[in-house]
DNA sequence: TGAAACAGGACTGATATAGTACTATTTAAC
DNA sequence: GTTAAATAGTACTATATCAGTCCTGTTTCA
């Protein structure tokens, strides 16, 4: 299904929530409640998001997490990359020597281009946009995803 | 990493090989050899590709598989969909009621749009293009995938 | 009738994901 | 200083998915 992991999905929810209170420090606990997720899970995500510097953390009493950039400046692609690593459809899209097929196969450069196109598509969607429902997708468009 | 499964990768290899001999019937065994893959694996893939009518199968002695459409008319997206199902980033992109978060979360319509954009990116790449190496991806572009 | 080839499904081992738990560290308030 | 609140880091386990294989049946041609 070419899907993002559940954790990544949660991460988007958390980031959307956080970025709606830009500048405010919010604890993992509070975020978990607002998003309807478990604390340990949210906690794990926030650690990853902190490492990627998408959010800033504050330890100690009254600590928590904060996002500095405006939500319109943070792309979905960044959040995905923070949780899952590089947006790459195959091992070989990231670097040479990683794909088992590399000897027999010269699809590598093409996979790189496809990965790039996918990454760009997701880079154009910001958290600000995610925060409000998009116009419904029509059935005629839906066909493109090869839904049954 | 948002990657396609290995099987899907193999499927593209097989389809590229097959589509380069358009109209010719080739056995699973022969395809396995040409692609450097195991017969049972290739066999499994070809069954799936047949169900999606991307290839046509012929049973019995001298049987095998054939592709009818020109390689320039078959998109990578179709092959992915044949192996993995709909191109959808989240459960809820496919249909309502499938995503656990649906009560708490109104990202659904946005995920649908993103899935659509991704699908469209891959629909524009044909097997004919996959068959020959693409121009190298430059480093400046590579950044878009958030490689380290 | 027999061999070549696909169809369908079932099974197994390996791998990745999801979720949790534990310990250490930092900070503010008292 | 002590305590409590909160994050950091890591390790662990159960589960689900994926990859790969195998078996049995069916079709077709020689
Ligand atoms: S798919 Fe990675 S080298 Fe061909
Ligand atoms: S991500 Fe599926 S409903 Fe929100």
């Amino acid at each position: 299904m070419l899907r993002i992991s559940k954790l990544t999905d949660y991460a988007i929810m958390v980031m959307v929530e956080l970025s709606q209170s830009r500048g405010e420090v919010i604890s993992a606990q509070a975020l978990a409640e607002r998003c309807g997720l478990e604390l340990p899970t949210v906690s794990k995500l926030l650690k990853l998001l902190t490492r990627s510097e998408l959010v800033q953390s504050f330890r100690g009493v009254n600590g928590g997490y904060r996002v500095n950039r405006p939500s319109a400046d943070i792309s979905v692609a960044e959040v995905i990359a923070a949780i899952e690593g590089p947006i790459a459809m195959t091992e070989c899209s990231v670097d040479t020597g990683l794909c088992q097929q590399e000897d027999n196969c010269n699809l590598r450069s093409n996979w790189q281009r496809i990965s790039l196109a996918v990454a760009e598509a997701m880079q154009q969607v910001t958290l600000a946009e995610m925060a409000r429902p998009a116009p419904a997708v029509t059935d005629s468009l839906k066909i493109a995803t090869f839904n049954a």
Side-chain angles (χ1 to χ4, degrees), chain A residues 77-88:
Chain A
E78 284 178 272
V79 180
I80 294 177
I83 306 293
E84 311 203 347
I87 293 173

Side-chain angles (χ1 to χ4, degrees), chain A residues 2-117:
Chain A
L2 187 73
R3 68 167 175 283
I4 58 173
S5 74
K6 280 191 187 183
L7 287 177
T8 307
D9 189 356
Y10 300 158
I12 300 278
M13 292 171 70
V14 170
M15 284 298 290
V16 166
E17 189 63 44
L18 242 192
S19 68
Q20 283 183 325
S21 313
R22 184 186 163 204
E24 207 177 319
V25 175
I26 305 176
S27 72
Q29 177 71 58
L31 277 169
E33 279 162 19
R34 291 194 204 174
C35 295
L37 300 170
E38 296 302 317
L39 171 61
T41 303
V42 171
S43 193
K44 183 184 198 172
L45 293 171
L46 286 165
K47 287 172 198 171
L48 287 169
L49 294 167
T50 303
R51 280 200 214 170
S52 300
E53 296 177 343
L54 276 174
V55 304
Q56 198 178 349
S57 71
F58 299 89
R59 300 174 76 156
V61 176
N62 301 325
Y65 299 88
R66 184 177 68 183
V67 61
N68 290 315
R69 291 148 64 194
S71 63
D73 283 1
I74 305 174
S75 72
V76 168
E78 284 178 272
V79 180
I80 294 177
I83 306 293
E84 311 203 347
I87 293 173
M89 307 291 291
T90 59
E91 301 288 345
C92 54
S93 309
V94 182
D95 210 343
T96 50
L98 294 174
C99 193
Q100 295 177 354
Q101 276 67 52
E102 234 161 298
D103 297 336
N104 259 316
C105 168
N106 45 9
L107 303 181
R108 185 168 168 261
S109 56
N110 282 298
W111 279 125
Q112 283 187 329
R113 295 191 73 80
I114 293 175
S115 299
L116 196 56

Side-chain angles (χ1 to χ4, degrees), chain A residues 117-140:
Chain A
V118 169
E120 278 170 356
M122 295 195 292
Q123 227 175 339
Q124 283 164 18
V125 183
T126 68
L127 290 186
E129 292 173 67
M130 290 301 271
R132 35 188 174 63
V137 173
T138 65
D139 282 341
S140 62

